[in-house]
Amino acid sequence: MPAMLPPDLLPADLLSADLLTAATGMADDIVRLRRAIHAEPELGLHTPRTRDKVRAALAGLPLDWREGPSTTGLVATLKGGAGPGSAGRNRVLLRGDMDALPMPEETGLDFASTIPGTMHACGHDAHTAMLVGAARLLCARQADLAGEVQFMFQPGEEGHHGARFMLEDGLIDPLPDAAFALHVMPNAPHGLVGGRAGPLLAGADQIDIVVEGRGGHASLPHETLDPMPVACEIVMALQAMVTRKFSVHDPVVLTIARIEGGSAHNVIADRVAMRGTMRTLSPGSRTRIRESVAMVAEGVAAAHGLTARVAVTEGFPVTVCDPRAVDFGERVTQDLLGAGAFQRLADPIMGAEDFAYLLEKVPGAMFFLGMALADDDWRQCCGIHSTRMVLDETVLPRGAALLATLGARFLAEGFS
């Protein structure tokens, strides 16, 4: 292996080859950590067992640690040794999330979840393990880094606003000059990296609608104010409203995912409750869809002599990737993994991510990493949030090397 030179003197292909070779050499450790986290998934803002696994995996390395009161999240800072003092030097953040989902696991893996009703079905176990690998790679090259790297180990991504809490707790102060994250995709081609400039993922808000009527015997509906058909009418009216009020060039997705009402086959309920999600790609549409849902639900209910109450729980903002960061990520990926390793996504994905809170404050990007099994048809693989989701662990070292290379190259070059 060639001797390590300062990053500003090191050709990109040599740096990439060095980090990829080193990451491949620690593949067993990365996989072992991923499996240990997978077997003990944790929910929400407090993931102490996962935090402790991260601390143990990085024990003894030259990292400054920060923790805050709101979460068990960690920020480990590596201060590079190249160049003059820290003033004016670049600072880059690399992020991995740590929490799981409240759902059963049906993979049959030897290291499947041991916690009933909890599963790492979104790949956060892999994200954490790859970020630990990246931290080890860059700690071994501390003397050659011209700046600081912040490794953000974040709980509470699955709807709990963990990134926002860590920002509010001051764990990422001062802010970095750029931020990057990877998200695994089990139903995307093996090893392929994807990204796009502008909106990558949607803003997401939860809606709750309660239709209030007057119940009674199911054989005498004319003596009641039945909320069930009104609730059904509201669902259909909302779908029509989206298609007629919002431009297809500024997408909006509204889904009512749950309806609850009634207690027996022959009883008309007093009320029906509905819950759903609204996904948007612009602040204007996000505001308008909230107003429009209330107008439609209340209006349809009133037309039948009933009432409807609408509550909106604010979710994550739109995940917007800086064009410079995406261009930079494409160059780094091609240098590391080859000319065909990066794909520009034509369209945003209407899922949501709380990495958006970082990208509201800092230029950066999230990239997707395909982890379908090498010999499988990726189109047939189970996607994220599936009880049967599996990942090809041979891709994990590539992800660790990509994160490390993004960090090292940004410190050396910025976005140029």
Side-chain angles (χ1 to χ4, degrees), residues 364-394:
M366 170 173 277
F367 302 111
F368 297 121
L369 178 60
M371 295 197 74
L373 297 175
D375 297 328
D376 286 358
D377 179 358
W378 59 270
R379 299 172 187 84
Q380 303 302 316
C381 295
C382 294
I384 56 176
H385 292 216
S386 166
T387 59
R388 296 181 297 279
M389 188 200 82
V390 295
L391 304 175
D392 189 333
E393 294 175 325
T394 64

Short mmCIF file of all heavy atoms in Angstrom, two decimals, residues 364-394:
data_model
loop_
_atom_site.label_atom_id
_atom_site.label_comp_id
_atom_site.label_asym_id
_atom_site.label_seq_id
_atom_site.Cartn_x
_atom_site.Cartn_y
_atom_site.Cartn_z
N GLY A 364 -25.48 19.65 1.80
CA GLY A 364 -25.07 18.25 1.85
C GLY A 364 -26.00 17.39 1.04
O GLY A 364 -26.80 17.89 0.23
N ALA A 365 -25.92 16.09 1.26
CA ALA A 365 -26.73 15.16 0.46
C ALA A 365 -26.85 13.83 1.18
O ALA A 365 -25.96 13.43 1.94
CB ALA A 365 -26.11 14.95 -0.92
N MET A 366 -27.94 13.15 0.91
CA MET A 366 -28.12 11.74 1.27
C MET A 366 -28.07 10.94 -0.01
O MET A 366 -28.61 11.35 -1.05
CB MET A 366 -29.45 11.52 1.99
CG MET A 366 -29.81 10.05 2.17
SD MET A 366 -31.28 9.80 3.19
CE MET A 366 -30.54 9.92 4.82
N PHE A 367 -27.41 9.79 0.06
CA PHE A 367 -27.33 8.89 -1.09
C PHE A 367 -27.89 7.53 -0.70
O PHE A 367 -27.81 7.11 0.46
CB PHE A 367 -25.88 8.73 -1.55
CG PHE A 367 -25.22 10.02 -1.93
CD1 PHE A 367 -24.19 10.57 -1.16
CD2 PHE A 367 -25.64 10.72 -3.05
CE1 PHE A 367 -23.59 11.76 -1.50
CE2 PHE A 367 -25.04 11.93 -3.41
CZ PHE A 367 -24.02 12.46 -2.63
N PHE A 368 -28.47 6.85 -1.68
CA PHE A 368 -28.98 5.50 -1.47
C PHE A 368 -27.92 4.49 -1.92
O PHE A 368 -27.22 4.70 -2.91
CB PHE A 368 -30.27 5.28 -2.26
CG PHE A 368 -31.41 6.16 -1.81
CD1 PHE A 368 -32.01 7.03 -2.70
CD2 PHE A 368 -31.86 6.12 -0.50
CE1 PHE A 368 -33.05 7.85 -2.30
CE2 PHE A 368 -32.90 6.94 -0.09
CZ PHE A 368 -33.51 7.81 -0.98
N LEU A 369 -27.83 3.40 -1.19
CA LEU A 369 -26.86 2.35 -1.47
C LEU A 369 -27.61 1.03 -1.69
O LEU A 369 -28.24 0.51 -0.77
CB LEU A 369 -25.88 2.21 -0.31
CG LEU A 369 -24.81 1.12 -0.42
CD1 LEU A 369 -23.92 1.35 -1.65
CD2 LEU A 369 -23.96 1.08 0.85
N GLY A 370 -27.56 0.52 -2.92
CA GLY A 370 -28.27 -0.72 -3.25
C GLY A 370 -27.67 -1.92 -2.55
O GLY A 370 -26.47 -2.17 -2.65
N MET A 371 -28.54 -2.69 -1.85
CA MET A 371 -28.05 -3.83 -1.09
C MET A 371 -28.87 -5.09 -1.37
O MET A 371 -28.99 -5.96 -0.52
CB MET A 371 -28.03 -3.53 0.40
CG MET A 371 -27.04 -2.42 0.75
SD MET A 371 -26.60 -2.32 2.48
CE MET A 371 -25.53 -3.73 2.65
N ALA A 372 -29.42 -5.18 -2.58
CA ALA A 372 -30.05 -6.44 -2.99
C ALA A 372 -28.97 -7.52 -3.06
O ALA A 372 -27.81 -7.25 -3.39
CB ALA A 372 -30.73 -6.28 -4.34
N LEU A 373 -29.35 -8.75 -2.76
CA LEU A 373 -28.41 -9.87 -2.86
C LEU A 373 -27.88 -9.95 -4.27
O LEU A 373 -28.61 -9.81 -5.25
CB LEU A 373 -29.09 -11.16 -2.46
CG LEU A 373 -29.59 -11.23 -1.00
CD1 LEU A 373 -30.37 -12.51 -0.76
CD2 LEU A 373 -28.44 -11.11 -0.02
N ALA A 374 -26.58 -10.18 -4.40
CA ALA A 374 -25.89 -10.07 -5.68
C ALA A 374 -26.52 -10.94 -6.76
O ALA A 374 -26.57 -10.56 -7.93
CB ALA A 374 -24.42 -10.41 -5.51
N ASP A 375 -26.99 -12.12 -6.41
CA ASP A 375 -27.51 -13.05 -7.40
C ASP A 375 -29.03 -12.99 -7.55
O ASP A 375 -29.61 -13.78 -8.30
CB ASP A 375 -27.10 -14.48 -7.02
CG ASP A 375 -25.59 -14.67 -7.04
OD1 ASP A 375 -24.93 -14.00 -7.85
OD2 ASP A 375 -25.08 -15.46 -6.22
N ASP A 376 -29.67 -12.08 -6.84
CA ASP A 376 -31.14 -11.99 -6.89
C ASP A 376 -31.59 -10.92 -7.87
O ASP A 376 -30.83 -9.99 -8.19
CB ASP A 376 -31.69 -11.66 -5.50
CG ASP A 376 -31.64 -12.85 -4.55
OD1 ASP A 376 -31.21 -13.94 -5.00
OD2 ASP A 376 -32.02 -12.69 -3.38
N ASP A 377 -32.84 -11.03 -8.30
CA ASP A 377 -33.47 -9.97 -9.08
C ASP A 377 -33.89 -8.89 -8.10
O ASP A 377 -34.81 -9.07 -7.31
CB ASP A 377 -34.68 -10.53 -9.82
CG ASP A 377 -35.40 -9.46 -10.65
OD1 ASP A 377 -34.99 -8.28 -10.61
OD2 ASP A 377 -36.39 -9.82 -11.32
N TRP A 378 -33.22 -7.75 -8.12
CA TRP A 378 -33.47 -6.71 -7.13
C TRP A 378 -34.91 -6.22 -7.16
O TRP A 378 -35.43 -5.74 -6.15
CB TRP A 378 -32.50 -5.54 -7.32
CG TRP A 378 -32.54 -4.87 -8.66
CD1 TRP A 378 -31.81 -5.19 -9.77
CD2 TRP A 378 -33.37 -3.77 -9.05
NE1 TRP A 378 -32.12 -4.35 -10.81
CE2 TRP A 378 -33.06 -3.47 -10.40
CE3 TRP A 378 -34.32 -3.01 -8.38
CZ2 TRP A 378 -33.70 -2.44 -11.09
CZ3 TRP A 378 -34.96 -1.97 -9.07
CH2 TRP A 378 -34.64 -1.71 -10.40
N ARG A 379 -35.57 -6.36 -8.29
CA ARG A 379 -36.96 -5.90 -8.39
C ARG A 379 -37.90 -6.74 -7.54
O ARG A 379 -39.01 -6.30 -7.21
CB ARG A 379 -37.42 -5.94 -9.85
CG ARG A 379 -36.62 -5.04 -10.79
CD ARG A 379 -36.99 -5.27 -12.23
NE ARG A 379 -36.13 -4.55 -13.15
CZ ARG A 379 -34.95 -4.98 -13.57
NH1 ARG A 379 -34.48 -6.16 -13.15
NH2 ARG A 379 -34.23 -4.26 -14.40
N GLN A 380 -37.49 -7.97 -7.22
CA GLN A 380 -38.34 -8.88 -6.44
C GLN A 380 -37.97 -8.89 -4.96
O GLN A 380 -38.62 -9.60 -4.18
CB GLN A 380 -38.21 -10.30 -7.01
CG GLN A 380 -38.55 -10.43 -8.48
CD GLN A 380 -39.96 -9.96 -8.79
OE1 GLN A 380 -40.91 -10.27 -8.06
NE2 GLN A 380 -40.12 -9.20 -9.88
N CYS A 381 -36.96 -8.16 -4.56
CA CYS A 381 -36.52 -8.17 -3.16
C CYS A 381 -37.49 -7.36 -2.29
O CYS A 381 -38.08 -6.38 -2.73
CB CYS A 381 -35.12 -7.59 -3.03
SG CYS A 381 -33.85 -8.57 -3.85
N CYS A 382 -37.62 -7.78 -1.05
CA CYS A 382 -38.45 -7.04 -0.10
C CYS A 382 -37.80 -5.71 0.22
O CYS A 382 -36.59 -5.63 0.44
CB CYS A 382 -38.64 -7.84 1.19
SG CYS A 382 -39.59 -9.36 0.97
N GLY A 383 -38.61 -4.66 0.23
CA GLY A 383 -38.09 -3.32 0.50
C GLY A 383 -38.00 -3.02 1.97
O GLY A 383 -38.29 -3.86 2.84
N ILE A 384 -37.59 -1.78 2.27
CA ILE A 384 -37.52 -1.36 3.66
C ILE A 384 -38.93 -1.38 4.27
O ILE A 384 -39.93 -1.25 3.59
CB ILE A 384 -36.88 0.04 3.79
CG1 ILE A 384 -37.63 1.07 2.95
CG2 ILE A 384 -35.42 -0.02 3.40
CD1 ILE A 384 -37.11 2.49 3.12
N HIS A 385 -38.97 -1.58 5.58
CA HIS A 385 -40.18 -1.67 6.36
C HIS A 385 -40.94 -2.97 6.08
O HIS A 385 -42.13 -3.06 6.40
CB HIS A 385 -41.09 -0.46 6.17
CG HIS A 385 -40.52 0.82 6.73
ND1 HIS A 385 -41.28 1.80 7.33
CD2 HIS A 385 -39.24 1.28 6.79
CE1 HIS A 385 -40.50 2.80 7.72
NE2 HIS A 385 -39.26 2.49 7.40
N SER A 386 -40.29 -3.94 5.50
CA SER A 386 -40.88 -5.26 5.33
C SER A 386 -40.40 -6.18 6.46
O SER A 386 -39.23 -6.10 6.88
CB SER A 386 -40.46 -5.88 3.99
OG SER A 386 -40.75 -7.27 3.95
N THR A 387 -41.28 -7.05 6.93
CA THR A 387 -40.89 -8.01 7.98
C THR A 387 -39.89 -9.02 7.46
O THR A 387 -39.26 -9.73 8.26
CB THR A 387 -42.12 -8.76 8.50
OG1 THR A 387 -42.75 -9.45 7.40
CG2 THR A 387 -43.13 -7.81 9.13
N ARG A 388 -39.70 -9.09 6.14
CA ARG A 388 -38.79 -10.08 5.55
C ARG A 388 -37.59 -9.42 4.86
O ARG A 388 -36.90 -10.05 4.07
CB ARG A 388 -39.55 -10.96 4.55
CG ARG A 388 -40.65 -11.79 5.20
CD ARG A 388 -41.38 -12.66 4.19
NE ARG A 388 -42.06 -11.86 3.19
CZ ARG A 388 -43.24 -11.27 3.35
NH1 ARG A 388 -43.86 -11.37 4.52
NH2 ARG A 388 -43.81 -10.56 2.40
N MET A 389 -37.32 -8.17 5.19
CA MET A 389 -36.22 -7.45 4.55
C MET A 389 -34.87 -8.03 4.96
O MET A 389 -34.60 -8.24 6.14
CB MET A 389 -36.25 -5.98 4.95
CG MET A 389 -35.26 -5.13 4.18
SD MET A 389 -34.87 -3.56 4.99
CE MET A 389 -33.62 -4.10 6.17
N VAL A 390 -34.02 -8.29 3.96
CA VAL A 390 -32.65 -8.73 4.22
C VAL A 390 -31.71 -7.88 3.37
O VAL A 390 -32.11 -7.30 2.35
CB VAL A 390 -32.45 -10.23 3.89
CG1 VAL A 390 -33.28 -11.09 4.83
CG2 VAL A 390 -32.79 -10.53 2.44
N LEU A 391 -30.45 -7.82 3.80
CA LEU A 391 -29.43 -7.03 3.11
C LEU A 391 -28.27 -7.93 2.72
O LEU A 391 -27.96 -8.90 3.41
CB LEU A 391 -28.90 -5.93 4.03
CG LEU A 391 -29.91 -4.95 4.62
CD1 LEU A 391 -29.21 -4.02 5.60
CD2 LEU A 391 -30.60 -4.15 3.53
N ASP A 392 -27.60 -7.58 1.63
CA ASP A 392 -26.36 -8.25 1.25
C ASP A 392 -25.22 -7.58 1.99
O ASP A 392 -24.81 -6.46 1.66
CB ASP A 392 -26.13 -8.18 -0.26
CG ASP A 392 -24.97 -9.05 -0.71
OD1 ASP A 392 -24.06 -9.29 0.11
OD2 ASP A 392 -24.97 -9.49 -1.87
N GLU A 393 -24.71 -8.24 3.00
CA GLU A 393 -23.70 -7.64 3.88
C GLU A 393 -22.36 -7.42 3.19
O GLU A 393 -21.51 -6.68 3.72
CB GLU A 393 -23.52 -8.49 5.13
CG GLU A 393 -24.77 -8.53 6.00
CD GLU A 393 -24.64 -9.47 7.18
OE1 GLU A 393 -23.98 -10.53 7.03
OE2 GLU A 393 -25.21 -9.17 8.24
N THR A 394 -22.15 -8.01 2.01
CA THR A 394 -20.88 -7.77 1.32
C THR A 394 -20.76 -6.32 0.84
O THR A 394 -19.66 -5.87 0.49
CB THR A 394 -20.72 -8.71 0.11
OG1 THR A 394 -21.73 -8.43 -0.87
CG2 THR A 394 -20.81 -10.17 0.55
#
